[in-house]
Amino acid sequence: MNKIISAAAGAFLLVSTPVFAQSWPSQTVTIIVPYAPGGIADIAARTVAEAMSSEWGQEVIVDNRTGGAGFVAATAVAMSEPDGHTLFVADMGVNVINPYLFDDIPYNPAEDFRPITMISDTPLVLAAYKDAPFNTTEEYVAYALANPGEVSFGSAGIGSLNHIVPEWINYEMGIDAVHIPYRGGAPAATAVASGEVEIGVLALSSVGPFVDSGDIKILGVAREGRVASHPDLPTLIEGGVPNVAAGQWAGLFAPSGVSDEIANKIQADVVAFLNSDAANETFSARGAIVSPMESADFAALLDALRERFSVIIEAAEITPE
Amino acid sequence: MGVLESLELGFAVAMTWENLAYCLLGVSVGMVVGVLPGIGHLAAISLLMPLTFHVPATAALVMLAGIYYGAQYGGSIASILLNLPGTASSAVICLDGYPMTQKGRAGPALLITTIASFVGSILSIIVLIFMAPPLAQLALSFHSADYFSMMVLGLVAAGSISQGKPMIGLASVLIGLLIGLVGIDVNSGAMRMTFGVPELFSGISIIVIAMALFGVVEVISSIGKVNGRARDKTEITLRGLMPNRKEWRESFWPMMRGSAVGTGVGILPGTGGGSMAAFMSYAVEKRTSRTPEKFGTGAVEGIAGPESANNAAAQSAFIPTLTLGIPGDAIMALMLGALMIHGIAPGPRVITENPELFWGLVVSFLIGNFMLLILNIPLIQFWVKILQIPYRFLFPAIVLLICVGVYSLSRSTVDVMLVAGFSTVGYLLIKLGFEAAPLLLGFILGPMLEENMRRSLMLSRGDFATFIERPISAGFLGLAALLLIWVIKGELTPKTPISVTHDV
């Protein structure tokens, strides 16, 4: 009897797994995005959704669940059925920064989500007002060191990447630059362009127009290597600021209970699309770089970022209280 | 490029069949979205979002822009007929529009707001055509201290919006201010009055407040009224829809002033757009009127001015969106997204680098507003018929629409519960003599005042002199002080009896 049951169970397992994988997706796939339509995370999700709709033969829709610093969307994904029909496009804020920023957070990004691949990466640059008394990263550091507490930097809000990266520069170089938060990246870029604040670490795509108009000058890019589209822009590391490299990426995640098979299929299909010319064009038009990755590499990157950011956030005493 | 060549280019782009079709689609959707209470931009976005990925940037933008300004036309319809603002910026229209309906002047009120919308839009577009580049530069010269001082002037000017006792008016503003504090504070990141509910982190939506305090409270107030219909006396003939000569005359200057106020407010990003413009215009009209006591009882000036203002602001708001890349709201953000998908980065040079897009869009505004005028006028006689629907059908339908609309804001039941809660509290407050309009004003202005004041002080490292050292800021504060002195002087000097007789 036992034999029969185990044999049946074994047969069931053997048969069921491939059937399950083949039948995925068996219904509409929803990609949840924690931000309003129009931003890079939303565009990344929509671009992938459109390509995967034809690839998978099932409709893939984008659901913008805004609010609560991403809590609403993240909680919805964490509590969803891990059958691969609910996916998550999230960024640094939701996946790396939030747990160090808020005392009480209703999800655990490291445990609740399984990283699939990064989708796109928007380079951040150290940008300065046109009349600021420095033109390079070195000159900025020297000026800020000589005038402690005088320089102000604008950000998209407390705990945003545009807040933490300048604090990281402060931390590495011993600078005392003062944080001025704004309501989002565009007002922060405008504040630098109008000279209300001297500097800001902002998305290359959002300062581009102001660089063309001559209101903003770029000192350096916060990346390991130079950006292909702007080969003459030195990195901050070249400018003497060690370690500081972080982009405004958008990545694809699934709830952590999802099966390996489904996760691998999603990874393979999405990465194949991201490697296409069409994907490359869509993202470079938006000032971003397509960044397909192996899931393991993406997970390792997230671990490294979490370690680093926990130290900086604590050192800079960034708290929402 | 001269203005004439620019316009020629614009017409060449906007008059293609494709762009005309997208323009018509946009303004029609916008009008419907505006009429339905609460159903706002997000519903329209999810409906038309997929389209914007596949059509050229100009067509996508023409359509999305059409939704945006089209909604401003529709918004005032329910405000006038049912005391139910279709969009947040038309809440002010309730103040005098609804009393006009109660007096049997619903038709003329609707016609005047349609004309006012058209006039406001067209005047603002003309300013846009001749002055867009210098105006963009002007917006860039505004710092936080200047915004703060402008808000102070706004608050002082709008103090007159209260109709009852001054102290209760002030208390209403303060309650609005408190509600405006809910959410994550931009300057410190502190959670304020969120009670751990993530849906409250980004604050309470103005739509929630406007729907609750104007719409639902009105429904609750009508319970028990014997009269089974909102208004069965209204004449539904073309004659009954036409404003009389006095109404035409009284609405001309308010439209001009409203357009100027709206255009000015719209240019400055992050000032609350149409709602702020409408409030300012109402304040200006009441201030300059020789018969301020008429306001709140169905004054034509009280609808003509604010309606021109919110439409003018809807058009001039495109200046900061396109030239600075700062979106005013969800639709504007989507338009920026649509631009970026097509590789066009909004910024100071968007006009010179993408002239066909910019001028095509501007000319499409002109065409779209003509379409709206033509669409709206014949529809007025149908809208007025809404008033003949018996209460027992109309009111449940309104409450249902509000629920659906508010839910569509961010697909959250929390918002619907908030409307229920604010309606209950709002009903009690209004019965006690509190007023919805000053409360809404406090709600809009409070958070912006605080944010800009604290940011200015952080930038000046705590030095209050920053507010008088910057010329723009000092100018606004000076005006605010003068206005305050004028008001106080007016209160202290004994009132001369106002002649009520008019030369009709």
Side-chain angles (χ1 to χ4, degrees):
Chain A
M1 188 63 184
N2 274 346
K3 246 188 194 167
I4 298 172
I5 289 178
S6 58
F12 180 74
L13 275 179
L14 274 177
V15 175
S16 71
T17 333
V19 165
F20 187 43
Q22 263 172 14
S23 63
W24 184 91
S26 59
Q27 63 189 70
T28 303
V29 177
T30 305
I31 302 182
I32 294 182
V33 177
Y35 305 105
I40 183 67
D42 175 70
I43 289 172
R46 285 177 195 277
T47 310
V48 168
E50 203 196 333
M52 291 305 114
S53 289
S54 50
E55 173 70 30
W56 293 335
Q58 278 286 351
E59 213 181 336
V60 183
I61 58 167
V62 172
D63 183 2
N64 302 88
R65 298 266 185 98
T66 54
F71 285 14
V72 176
T75 316
V77 176
M79 294 196 308
S80 69
E81 194 68 33
D83 57 3
H85 291 111
T86 305
L87 302 175
F88 190 30
V89 165
D91 65 351
M92 200 80 149
V94 173
N95 260 285
V96 175
I97 298 170
N98 274 354
Y100 306 113
L101 199 61
F102 298 99
D103 290 337
D104 192 15
I105 163 168
Y107 67 97
N108 181 340
E111 281 174 14
D112 290 346
F113 312 124
R114 175 176 177 145
I116 307 275
T117 174
M118 191 182 278
I119 299 172
S120 69
D121 189 15
T122 308
L124 292 173
V125 293
L126 179 64
Y129 177 53
K130 62 169 191 269
D131 294 334
F134 35 79
N135 292 309
T136 63
T137 308
E138 290 96 330
E139 286 174 22
Y140 163 65
V141 171
Y143 180 84
L145 282 173
N147 301 281
E150 300 257 309
V151 179
S152 303
F153 68 90
S155 86
I158 303 258
S160 64
L161 206 51
N162 327 77
H163 174 195
I164 293 171
V165 175
E167 294 283 9
W168 192 355
I169 301 175
N170 283 355
Y171 170 78
E172 296 284 357
M173 307 309 292
I175 293 172
D176 178 15
V178 180
H179 175 221
I180 310 287
Y182 288 82
R183 248 178 225 282
T190 311
V192 178
S194 71
E196 180 162 319
V197 293
E198 288 85 1
I199 59 154
V201 170
L202 303 161
L204 180 54
S205 52
S206 66
V207 298
F210 291 111
V211 173
D212 292 343
S213 68
D215 292 309
I216 283 183
K217 54 192 177 191
I218 299 180
L219 309 184
V221 51
R223 257 174 97 80
E224 301 282 351
R226 293 192 177 199
V227 185
S229 59
H230 296 69
D232 48 335
L233 267 188
T235 64
L236 293 180
I237 298 171
E238 287 173 56
V241 183
N243 302 322
V244 178
Q248 213 146 21
W249 51 258
L252 184 65
F253 297 82
S256 56
V258 73
S259 73
D260 288 348
E261 226 155 330
I262 292 174
N264 291 339
K265 177 173 168 52
I266 298 172
Q267 197 269 348
D269 292 346
V270 172
V271 165
F273 163 67
L274 292 178
N275 281 322
S276 71
D277 288 344
N280 188 21
E281 254 171 58
T282 308
F283 285 104
S284 52
R286 181 67 175 75
I289 301 164
V290 271
S291 314
M293 273 188 192
E294 290 301 323
S295 299
D297 295 344
F298 189 28
L301 175 74
L302 288 171
D303 286 340
L305 284 170
R306 287 190 181 113
E307 203 169 313
R308 182 138 263 162
F309 274 61
S310 67
V311 174
I312 300 159
I313 291 172
E314 194 163 327
E317 291 173 355
I318 300 171
T319 52
E321 253 65 53
Chain B
M1 194 158 47
V3 169
L4 274 181
E5 293 99 274
S6 304
L7 282 179
E8 207 180 312
L9 173 69
F11 271 103
V13 174
M15 294 299 270
T16 60
W17 283 111
E18 188 191 25
N19 286 339
L20 282 175
Y22 279 111
C23 186
L24 183 63
L25 179 65
V27 297
S28 310
V29 170
M31 212 178 76
V32 174
V33 159
V35 172
L36 297 174
I39 296 205
H41 300 148
L42 221 83
I45 288 176
S46 35
L47 197 68
L48 296 170
M49 182 76 196
L51 264 179
T52 64
F53 272 74
H54 298 286
V55 301
T58 309
L61 223 64
V62 161
M63 178 178 70
L64 293 169
I67 298 176
Y68 189 79
Y69 57 78
Q72 308 294 331
Y73 273 74
S76 53
I77 293 171
S79 302
I80 290 170
L81 297 177
L82 307 165
N83 204 28
L84 180 66
T87 55
S89 56
S90 51
V92 180
I93 309 298
C94 292
L95 298 179
D96 280 283
Y98 188 58
M100 280 187 78
T101 295
Q102 290 172 318
K103 287 182 183 168
R105 304 295 294 163
L110 289 176
L111 194 68
I112 285 172
T113 50
T114 304
I115 304 286
S117 297
F118 182 73
V119 170
S121 303
I122 296 293
L123 291 179
S124 182
I125 294 167
I126 291 172
V127 172
L128 201 81
I129 289 172
F130 286 95
M131 292 174 63
L135 285 176
Q137 216 48 48
L138 178 77
L140 210 52
S141 63
F142 264 64
H143 283 195
S144 299
D146 309 324
Y147 278 109
F148 167 77
S149 302
M150 191 182 75
M151 308 283 167
V152 171
L153 176 64
L155 200 64
V156 173
S160 64
I161 212 141
S162 161
Q163 282 149 0
K165 294 189 183 119
M167 283 321 274
I168 293 197
L170 188 65
S172 305
V173 173
L174 288 177
I175 293 174
L177 253 151
L178 279 175
I179 301 172
L181 290 182
V182 174
I184 298 180
D185 170 34
V186 178
N187 286 297
S188 67
M191 303 264 186
R192 298 197 291 207
M193 296 186 276
T194 55
F195 308 105
V197 180
E199 283 81 358
L200 291 179
F201 286 7
S202 44
I204 294 169
S205 163
I206 183 174
I207 311 266
V208 166
I209 305 288
M211 290 305 130
L213 294 185
F214 287 93
V216 185
V217 166
E218 176 63 27
V219 171
I220 302 175
S221 305
S222 336
I223 291 173
K225 280 189 189 164
V226 198
N227 171 15
R229 285 181 195 152
R231 201 81 224 160
D232 35 15
K233 282 182 291 198
T234 315
E235 279 181 75
I236 309 179
T237 58
L238 200 60
R239 253 188 96 78
L241 298 180
M242 288 308 280
N244 57 36
R245 275 176 62 189
K246 180 166 158 283
E247 284 165 336
W248 280 124
R249 202 176 49 232
E250 282 173 352
S251 53
F252 178 75
W253 284 110
M255 284 187 202
M256 296 299 131
R257 287 188 291 260
S259 306
V261 168
T263 307
V265 172
I267 291 163
L268 298 166
T271 46
S275 321
M276 173 92 166
F279 269 114
M280 295 280 260
S281 163
Y282 192 85
V284 167
E285 290 316 316
K286 200 169 170 186
R287 262 294 155 242
T288 53
S289 170
R290 266 172 295 173
T291 54
E293 68 283 353
K294 248 176 46 186
F295 281 77
T297 62
V300 180
E301 301 95 310
I303 58 170
E307 184 67 12
S308 309
N310 76 37
N311 282 274
Q315 304 292 169
S316 65
F318 281 91
I319 296 178
T321 302
L322 289 174
T323 61
L324 299 178
I326 301 180
D329 59 20
I331 286 242
M332 286 291 193
L334 187 74
M335 279 187 253
L336 290 182
L339 274 180
M340 286 168 169
I341 283 172
H342 293 90
I344 298 166
R349 303 221 310 182
V350 79
I351 301 174
T352 42
E353 278 172 9
N354 300 286
E356 69 297 329
L357 174 109
F358 183 82
W359 294 108
L361 190 64
V362 169
V363 171
S364 88
F365 292 169
L366 284 173
I367 298 170
N369 275 289
F370 275 104
M371 287 178 178
L372 282 163
L373 190 68
I374 295 165
L375 282 173
N376 264 279
I377 289 181
L379 281 175
I380 290 175
Q381 40 194 314
F382 295 102
W383 298 128
V384 176
K385 285 193 180 136
I386 292 176
L387 296 178
Q388 294 184 317
I389 302 171
Y391 277 172
R392 64 179 188 280
F393 298 124
L394 186 63
F395 284 161
I398 289 174
V399 173
L400 185 74
L401 273 175
I402 292 176
C403 285
V404 174
V406 168
Y407 180 75
S408 79
L409 287 178
S410 57
R411 268 169 294 168
S412 136
T413 47
V414 175
D415 285 339
V416 182
M417 298 313 288
L418 281 174
V419 170
F422 279 114
S423 306
T424 316
V425 176
Y427 177 70
L428 292 175
L429 285 177
I430 283 161
K431 281 286 147 202
L432 290 172
F434 286 80
E435 291 170 62
L439 194 156
L440 200 60
L441 183 77
F443 177 79
I444 298 169
L445 278 181
M448 290 195 284
L449 264 170
E450 188 209 6
E451 183 184 328
N452 285 297
M453 177 177 177
R454 286 176 60 185
R455 185 180 295 136
S456 314
L457 289 174
M458 282 164 89
L459 284 161
S460 70
R461 309 292 187 261
D463 185 1
F464 277 88
T466 182
F467 296 114
I468 44 173
E469 277 166 8
R470 291 191 53 81
I472 303 176
S473 170
F476 279 124
L477 286 181
L479 279 175
L482 282 178
L483 191 60
L484 208 60
I485 292 168
W486 183 37
V487 172
I488 294 170
K489 210 176 138 223
E491 292 292 321
L492 293 181
T493 48
K495 283 197 177 81
T496 46
I498 300 153
S499 73
V500 206
T501 47
H502 281 289
D503 45 334
V504 183

